[in-house]
Amino acid sequence: MKLLIINGPNLNLLGKREKSIYGESSFEDYYNRLKKDFPKIDFEYYQSNVEGELINKLHEVGFNYDAIIMNAGAYTHTSIGIADAIAGIETPVIEVHISNVYAREEYRHQSLMAKNCIGVIAGMGLNSYQLAVQHFLSVED
Ligand code: DQA
């Protein structure tokens, strides 16, 4: 299974940024553990702080990958472009969040992309990503 993890803006600062919300681990450390835990999956990782680059990546992989896990960061709440890109591709996307966005500011309660995703996992810390991986594995042909 070819699975791409896409992280949006500011997620390159994990481990340094607002540690009480997002934890102490860098995404690179977590990603290396994830690859070890799921050796059968062909993982790829992409991060950008730029909305259009995230859209380009969705277009690039969205007709040939099996699965996408996307944490669009703040663009979750604002980007019609990312929502439309997810609607326009064939690869199923799971939206993930590290924090429980529903327990935070009201502007984080809305996701423009959620309705175009197969599901949403939020609030489980970095485990949110591995729960999404497990879902894709459980529905694999
Ligand atoms: C986030 C939640 C967003 O509201 C925020 O803008 C982020 C990270 C999360 O993973 O909890 O950058 O997507």
Side-chain angles (χ1 to χ4, degrees), residues 9 11 17 22 71 73-74 76-77 96-99 101 104 108:
L11 292 162
R17 162 195 192 202
Y22 299 114
N71 184 347
T76 305
H77 318 297
V96 300
H97 299 285
I98 297 162
S99 65
V101 283
R104 300 181 65 195
R108 295 184 205 276

Side-chain angles (χ1 to χ4, degrees), residues 33-134:
R33 275 181 271 142
L34 201 60
K35 283 193 287 190
K36 275 197 197 123
D37 289 347
F38 297 96
K40 284 188 189 152
I41 294 184
D42 185 1
F43 279 103
E44 202 168 307
Y45 173 55
Y46 180 76
Q47 191 277 330
S48 175
N49 296 316
V50 181
E51 186 177 10
E53 289 181 357
L54 296 166
I55 293 170
N56 283 342
K57 193 58 161 180
L58 287 164
H59 293 178
E60 185 188 315
V61 305
F63 296 89
N64 43 58
Y65 271 57
D66 302 301
I68 297 173
I69 297 170
M70 183 163 195
N71 184 347
Y75 289 143
T76 305
H77 318 297
T78 62
S79 176
I80 298 170
I82 289 174
D84 283 351
I86 293 169
I89 60 175
E90 284 171 1
T91 304
V93 178
I94 297 181
E95 172 182 335
V96 300
H97 299 285
I98 297 162
S99 65
N100 179 358
V101 283
Y102 302 101
R104 300 181 65 195
E105 299 93 335
E106 213 174 311
Y107 58 81
R108 295 184 205 276
H109 298 182
Q110 171 173 254
S111 164
L112 299 183
M113 59 190 266
K115 70 172 172 38
N116 301 330
C117 295
I118 58 167
V120 179
I121 300 170
M124 305 298 169
L126 285 168
N127 274 341
S128 294
Y129 293 86
Q130 85 199 43
L131 291 168
V133 173
Q134 275 162 0

